[in-house]
C-alpha cells in the first residue's frame, strides 16, 4: 500500500541533511537532533485491529526565557517515510508536538492522534519514545457482507457530508470522533440496504455483523478478530451457506427453528448471496436443544421440494451446506483402447478418477469418457478362466488415445477372504496413492449371497485402502466403512439395532438399542411420484423419538399439508469416528473424507 502503513509500534528516524539556520539565528549541526525510536498507539478494547496511520505533523517550539517559544519549526511526513526521518535541531529546550492531520474532522480513514513532550532538552542526537492518545472510535464491516462495487458510508447527524469507508485487509473501516452520533449504511451481497444509528465512544470498535431477528436480517455488533465468525449467547444456530450452490441459487429456501414441541422460535427466508449469518431467538429461550429445518422449494418442476430437519441438536450448533470433502487433483481426458485380446470373463479398469468393471469387448465403448488425475496410472485387472491377472500402465502426459495391451496383464493378484456376521455380502475396495486427495483406484467390487467372499488386489502397496462392506441380517442392512493401511479380513459387527411403531409421519416412533451417533429418517407421500420429501437427522444424545413439527404449508405455498399421507421410506442408525453433534451436515460417506471409519444399520421400507 503506497499511501498508508499499518503498525502498532512504528520505529522511525527523522532525517534532514546538512546544516541549516533556524529562526533563532542559531546554527544547527547534524550532531544534535531528535529521532522517534517508537510511537505507541492506543488499542481498541477486545480487538486485534491494526491501526491505519496517515500523514504525521510535527512541531518543534524552541523555548526561551519564561518557557515561551522563540521559534517554531513545522514539518510533515508521509506514513511510509517515517522510518527514514530524522530532524536536526539546535541545542536547547523544546516543546515537541506530533499529531495526525484532520483532527477536527468528524471521520477519516486514518486514526487521529496526538502526543507532546514539554520542556525537552536537546543536547545530542536523541531518541524519543512517544505514547500518543486518540479520541477516535472505529467502525468495521467485513467485505464479504458488502455488495461488490459499493462502499459503506457514515452520515453524522450534524454534518451534511457523508463519509465513505476505507478498505484494507478484507474489511471496510472508518475512524469516527468520539461523541459523534450518526448512521452507517451499506448494501449487502443480497442487494439489501442496511442502516444502523449509533453514537460513537472513544477507543470503541463497532464491528458489524448480520443477524436474523424476528424473521429478518438486522445489523448487530460483535467483537472483532480477523477471520472470526462471532456467536453470541442468544444465538440458536450459525449458518455457513455457499451462495453459489444449488440450494442458494434455485428457488426459495426458508430456515425455521423450533423447540421440541414444534413451536417456532424464529424463521427467515434465505436472501440470495448471503454466506454466514446467525439465527437468534425472538424471545428468551433457555433450553439447550432446538429443532432446525431447511425448506427448499425449487424452481424446476422435475425436482421435488425437500424439508431437511436436524432434530434436537445443541443450541449454538453450526450448519454448513458444503461438506468438508477432500480436494481432487486436476484431471485430463483419456480414451483407453483394448488391443491383443481374444476375450475375457471380466475386466476392471481404473485411473484414479474413474473405475469400471466390464464383461465383454462390446462394453469397452464405455471407456471413451474416462478421465485421469495428473501423474496417475491406469490399473487394469482381468479375470479369465478363473484366474486374476493385472498390471499398471504409465500414462504419458498429454495422452488422449491410449492402447491397453491386454497381453501385458502378467502379474498375479493377491487374494484375501473377507467374512461378515450376515449374508448378502458386498465388498468394494479402493486404494489411494495420496491420502490428501479424493482420487482413488477401484480395486474390487464383488457380491455374494453368503457371508464370505474372496477379493483380488494388486501386490503393490498403497498408503490408504478404503473398504466398504455391506451385509444383511433379517430386514436390516449393515454398512461398514474402513480407512486403513491394510484391507480387513472381517466386516465388523455393529451392535446397534432398532424397531419402529407406526408408519406415517404423525405416528412413527422408533426405539433402539446399542451405541450410535445419530439417526436418519426419510418420509415421502408417494412411492412412485412423491411431491415432497422429509429427511431428518437427530443425535442419539437427544433421545428424540416423538417428532413434533410446525405447520410448513405457508413455506410450500399450499393451504394444508396432510402429514398422515407421508410414510416412512427408510430409517437408519449411524456412527463414525470424530462425530460432533454440533456440526452438520453429518458425515455418512467414505471416499470423500480423510480417515473415515464408520458404521450404519438401515432399513428400507419400500
Amino acid at each position: 500500500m503506497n499511501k498508508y502503513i499499518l503498525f502498532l509500534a512504528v520505529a522511525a528516524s527523522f532525517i534532514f541533511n546538512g546544516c541549516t539556520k533556524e529562526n533563532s539565528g542559531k546554527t544547527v549541526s547534524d550532531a544534535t537532533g531528535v529521532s522517534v525510536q517508537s510511537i505507541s498507539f492506543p488499542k481498541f478494547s477486545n480487538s486485534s485491529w491494526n491501526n491505519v496511520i496517515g500523514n504525521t505533523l510535527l512541531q518543534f517550539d524552541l523555548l526561551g526565557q519564561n518557557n515561551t517559544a522563540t521559534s517554531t519549526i513545522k514539518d510533515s511526513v508521509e506514513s511510509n517515510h517515517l522510518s527514514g526521518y530524522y530532524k536536526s535541531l539546535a541545542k536547547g529546550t523544546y516543546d515537541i508536538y506530533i499529531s495526525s492531520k484532520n483532527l477536527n474532522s468528524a471521520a477519516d480513514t486514518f486514526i487521529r492522534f496526538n502526543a507532546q513532550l514539554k520542556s525537552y532538552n536537546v543536547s545530542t542526537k536523541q531518541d524519543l519514545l512517544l505514547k500518543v492518545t486518540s479520541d477516535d472510535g472505529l467502525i468495521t464491516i467485513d467485505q464479504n457482507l458488502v455488495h461488490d462495487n459499493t462502499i459503506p458510508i457514515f452520515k453524522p447527524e450534524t454534518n451534511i457530508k457523508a463519509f465513505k469507508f476505507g478498505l484494507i485487509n478484507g474489511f471496510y473501516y472508518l475512524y469516527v470522533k468520539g461523541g459523534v452520533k450518526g448512521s452507517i449504511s451499506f448494501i449487502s451481497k443480497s442487494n439489501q440496504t442496511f442502516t444502523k444509528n449509533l453514537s460513537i465512544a472513544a477507543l470503541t470498535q463497532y464491528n458489524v455483523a448480520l443477524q436474523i431477528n424476528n424473521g429478518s436480517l438486522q445489523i448487530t455488533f460483535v467483537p472483532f478478530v480477523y477471520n472470526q465468525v462471532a456467536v453470541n449467547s442468544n444465538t440458536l444456530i450459525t449458518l455457513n451457506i455457499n451462495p453459489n450452490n444449488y440450494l442458494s441459487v434455485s428457488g426459495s429456501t426458508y430456515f425455521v427453528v423450533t423447540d421440541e414441541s414444534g413451536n417456532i422460535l424464529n424463521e427467515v427466508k434465505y436472501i440470495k448471496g448471503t454466506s454466514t449469518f446467525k439465527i437468534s431467538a425472538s424471545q428468551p429461550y433457555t433450553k439447550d436443544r432446538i429443532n432446525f429445518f431447511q425448506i427448499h422449494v425449487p424452481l424446476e418442476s422435475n425436482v421435488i421440494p425437500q424439508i431437511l430437519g436436524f432434530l434436537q441438536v445443541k443450541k449454538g450448533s453450526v450448519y454448513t451446506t458444503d461438506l468438508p470433502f477432500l480436494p481432487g487433483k486436476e484431471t485430463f481426458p483419456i480414451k483407453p483402447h483394448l488391443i491383443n485380446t481374444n476375450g475375457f470373463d471380466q475386466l476392471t479398469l481404473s485411473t484414479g478418477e474413474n473405475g469400471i468393471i466390464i464383461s465383454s469387448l462390446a462394453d469397452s465403448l464405455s471407456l471413451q469418457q474416462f478421465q485421469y488425475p495428473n501423474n496417475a496410472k491406469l490399473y487394469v485387472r482381468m479375470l479369465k478362466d478363473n484366474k486374476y491377472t493385472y498390471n499398471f500402465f504409465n500414462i504419458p502426459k498429454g495422452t488422449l488415445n491410449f492402447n491397453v495391451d491386454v497381453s501385458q496383464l502378467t502379474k498375479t493378484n493377491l487374494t484375501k477372504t473377507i467374512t461378515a456376521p450376515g449374508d448378502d455380502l458386498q465388498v468394494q475396495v479402493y486404494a489411494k496413492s495420496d491420502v490428501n486427495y479424493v482420487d482413488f483406484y477401484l480395486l474390487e467390487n464383488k457380491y455374494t449371497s453368503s457371508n464370505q467372499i474372496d477379493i483380488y488386489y494388486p501386490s503393490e502397496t498403497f498408503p490408504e485402502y478404503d473398504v466398504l462392506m455391506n451385509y444383511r441380517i433379517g430386514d436390516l442392512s449393515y454398512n461398514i466403512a474402513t480407512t486403513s493401511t491394510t484391507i480387513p479380513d472381517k466386516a465388523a459387527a455393529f451392535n446397534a439395532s432398532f424397531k419402529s411403531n407406526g408408519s406415517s409421519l404423525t405416528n412413527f416412533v422408533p426405539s433402539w438399542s446399542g451405541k450410535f451417533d445419530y439417526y436418519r429418517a426419510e418420509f415421502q407421500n408417494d412411492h412412485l411420484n412423491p411431491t415432497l420429501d422429509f429427511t431428518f437427522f437427530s443425535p442419539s444424545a437427544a433421545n428424540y423419538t416423538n417428532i413434533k413439527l410446525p405447520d410448513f404449508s405457508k413455506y410450500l405455498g399450499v393451504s394444508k399439508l396432510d402429514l398422515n399421507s407421508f410414510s416412512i421410506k427408510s430409517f437408519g442408525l449411524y456412527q463414525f469416528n470424530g462425530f460432533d453433534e454440533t456440526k452438520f451436515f453429518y458425515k455418512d460417506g467414505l471416499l470423500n473424507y480423510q480417515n473415515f471409519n464408520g458404521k450404519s444399520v438401515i432399513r428400507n421400507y419400500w
Side-chain angles (χ1 to χ4, degrees):
M1 192 167 61
N2 294 327
K3 196 174 181 181
Y4 359 110
I5 184 170
L6 290 174
F7 62 114
L8 293 176
V10 179
S13 297
F14 297 151
I15 296 178
F16 261 56
N17 295 319
C19 294
T20 61
K21 180 162 286 194
E22 304 293 354
N23 294 342
S24 63
K26 295 182 179 181
T27 300
V28 178
S29 169
D30 283 342
T32 59
V34 292
S35 65
V36 177
Q37 179 68 22
S38 68
I39 302 178
S40 177
F41 283 84
K43 292 185 177 182
F44 294 91
S45 58
N46 299 318
S47 173
S48 61
W49 177 259
N50 295 325
N51 280 314
V52 182
I53 314 301
N55 287 353
T56 301
L57 304 178
L58 303 110
Q59 181 173 318
F60 305 90
D61 290 348
L62 178 62
L63 303 181
Q65 295 181 351
N66 302 321
N67 287 329
T68 59
T70 60
S71 65
T72 296
I73 302 173
K74 294 184 178 181
D75 214 336
S76 67
V77 59
E78 295 279 350
S79 59
N80 58 337
H81 291 159
L82 280 171
S83 61
Y85 191 93
Y86 169 83
K87 187 64 178 175
S88 296
L89 295 173
K91 292 182 179 180
T93 302
Y94 290 83
D95 284 345
I96 302 175
Y97 304 91
I98 181 170
S99 69
S100 61
K101 289 186 176 181
N102 300 331
L103 286 175
N104 296 321
S105 176
D108 206 331
T109 53
F110 309 102
I111 188 170
R112 275 75 59 78
F113 62 89
N114 61 76
Q116 58 183 344
L117 289 175
K118 291 288 190 177
S119 301
Y120 186 79
N121 184 44
V122 177
S123 58
T124 59
K125 287 185 177 180
Q126 294 169 238
D127 294 330
L128 301 180
L129 303 176
L130 295 174
K131 184 176 182 179
V132 305
T133 62
S134 176
D135 294 326
D136 277 351
L138 174 66
I139 308 171
T140 51
I141 307 174
D142 192 321
Q143 185 180 5
N144 292 324
L145 298 179
V146 181
H147 197 287
D148 294 343
N149 301 317
T150 66
I151 300 174
I153 61 171
F154 175 79
K155 177 69 170 59
E157 284 184 355
T158 58
N159 198 321
I160 298 176
K161 178 182 178 182
F163 294 87
K164 292 184 177 181
F165 280 57
L167 176 63
I168 195 168
N169 290 341
F171 286 87
Y172 286 100
Y173 73 97
L174 189 70
Y175 292 94
V176 181
K177 186 176 292 295
V180 171
K181 296 181 179 181
S183 62
I184 56 174
S185 180
F186 68 94
I187 301 173
S188 71
K189 291 284 189 182
S190 58
N191 209 32
Q192 182 178 355
T193 299
F194 289 92
T195 302
K196 180 76 171 180
N197 296 321
L198 68 165
S199 179
I200 302 297
L203 296 181
T204 300
Q205 184 171 356
Y206 303 85
N207 185 44
V208 170
L210 293 180
Q211 178 172 291
I212 294 176
N213 194 17
N214 294 326
S216 63
L217 281 172
Q218 298 177 9
I219 288 179
T220 188
F221 299 108
V222 298
F224 176 88
V225 176
Y226 286 104
N227 299 323
Q228 179 193 44
V229 177
V231 179
N232 63 33
S233 60
N234 198 38
T235 298
L236 297 173
I237 190 168
T238 297
L239 291 86
N240 295 318
I241 309 295
N242 179 353
N244 298 314
N245 73 6
Y246 172 78
L247 165 73
S248 306
V249 300
S250 177
S252 299
T253 301
Y254 304 86
F255 300 110
V256 178
V257 183
T258 75
D259 63 12
E260 75 279 8
S261 299
N263 300 308
I264 294 177
L265 304 175
N266 212 335
E267 56 187 345
V268 64
K269 182 178 181 180
Y270 175 70
I271 300 172
K272 289 180 173 60
T274 308
S275 55
T276 298
F277 58 96
K278 300 182 290 291
I279 300 179
S280 297
S282 56
Q283 299 292 332
Y285 184 72
T286 59
K287 296 181 180 180
D288 65 348
R289 291 188 178 273
I290 59 171
N291 289 349
F292 167 72
F293 300 96
Q294 171 189 288
I295 304 103
H296 181 61
V297 184
L299 289 175
E300 300 88 343
S301 59
N302 63 335
V303 180
I304 67 171
Q306 184 186 51
I307 296 177
L308 186 69
F310 290 87
L311 309 180
Q312 287 302 281
V313 293
K314 281 282 191 179
K315 176 184 173 183
S317 293
V318 178
Y319 168 69
T320 303
T321 55
D322 285 5
L323 291 164
F325 290 153
L326 289 171
K329 294 181 179 180
E330 183 182 7
T331 61
F332 307 91
I334 187 173
K335 296 182 178 182
H337 304 281
L338 304 180
I339 63 173
N340 294 331
T341 177
N342 56 1
F344 46 82
D345 299 317
Q346 187 185 85
L347 200 68
T348 302
L349 296 95
S350 184
T351 62
E353 174 68 18
N354 301 112
I356 193 172
I357 298 176
I358 61 177
S359 56
S360 70
L361 281 173
D363 295 335
S364 64
L365 293 175
S366 59
L367 305 177
Q368 303 309 297
Q369 303 299 320
F370 260 37
Q371 299 275 326
Y372 71 97
N374 192 28
N375 297 323
K377 296 183 178 182
L378 176 63
Y379 172 65
V380 184
R381 184 192 69 174
M382 180 174 65
L383 170 62
K384 186 174 182 180
D385 299 329
N386 295 318
K387 182 181 179 181
Y388 284 92
T389 56
Y390 77 97
N391 214 331
F392 284 94
F393 296 89
N394 293 319
I395 305 174
K397 188 174 182 179
T399 298
L400 177 60
N401 291 289
F402 185 80
N403 290 330
V404 179
D405 189 348
V406 178
S407 66
Q408 293 185 26
L409 304 180
T410 55
K411 296 183 178 182
T412 301
N413 288 91
L414 300 179
T415 183
K416 176 171 286 192
T417 300
I418 297 178
T419 59
D423 296 328
D424 290 328
L425 176 61
Q426 181 174 6
V427 175
Q428 299 172 55
V429 181
Y430 304 90
K432 289 184 179 181
S433 56
D434 190 334
V435 299
N436 297 310
Y437 290 88
V438 72
D439 311 290
F440 54 85
Y441 290 98
L442 168 64
L443 302 185
E444 184 68 275
N445 186 357
K446 203 170 184 181
Y447 166 82
T448 177
S449 59
S450 69
N451 70 335
Q452 183 173 296
I453 201 168
D454 292 330
I455 62 143
Y456 297 84
Y457 57 99
S459 60
E460 288 83 350
T461 58
F462 289 84
E464 178 178 307
Y465 293 94
D466 297 327
V467 183
L468 181 60
M469 295 163 282
N470 313 90
Y471 58 87
R472 297 186 65 83
I473 299 178
D475 57 5
L476 299 180
S477 175
Y478 289 81
N479 306 280
I480 310 298
T482 66
T483 299
S484 179
T485 56
T486 60
I487 299 172
D489 55 15
K490 292 182 180 180
F494 184 22
N495 296 319
S497 61
F498 61 88
K499 296 180 180 179
S500 59
N501 295 317
S503 60
S504 77
L505 193 48
T506 56
N507 63 17
F508 182 81
V509 180
S511 61
W512 48 69
S513 63
K515 184 180 178 181
F516 65 99
D517 292 327
Y518 69 92
Y519 72 70
R520 178 187 184 275
E522 183 177 9
F523 299 82
Q524 288 185 354
N525 59 344
D526 190 284
H527 291 201
L528 298 178
N529 298 297
T531 59
L532 179 62
D533 178 272
F534 286 91
T535 300
F536 300 133
F537 301 82
S538 184
S540 62
N543 196 32
Y544 187 59
T545 59
N546 191 13
I547 300 172
K548 299 294 184 182
L549 304 176
D551 184 1
F552 293 112
S553 57
K554 67 177 181 179
Y555 311 110
L556 300 168
V558 298
S559 58
K560 185 179 180 180
L561 188 62
D562 182 11
L563 298 182
N564 284 303
S565 65
F566 290 84
S567 59
I568 182 70
K569 181 180 179 182
S570 67
F571 184 87
L573 309 179
Y574 294 77
Q575 182 183 72
F576 65 86
N577 62 307
F579 174 74
D580 183 348
E581 69 163 289
T582 67
K583 297 178 181 179
F584 43 85
F585 273 90
Y586 298 143
K587 296 177 182 178
D588 61 359
L590 172 67
L591 298 169
N592 291 325
Y593 306 101
Q594 193 168 37
N595 191 28
F596 182 88
N597 289 276
K599 301 176 180 180
S600 65
V601 53
I602 301 168
R603 180 181 176 185
N604 295 310
Y605 292 82
W606 46 272

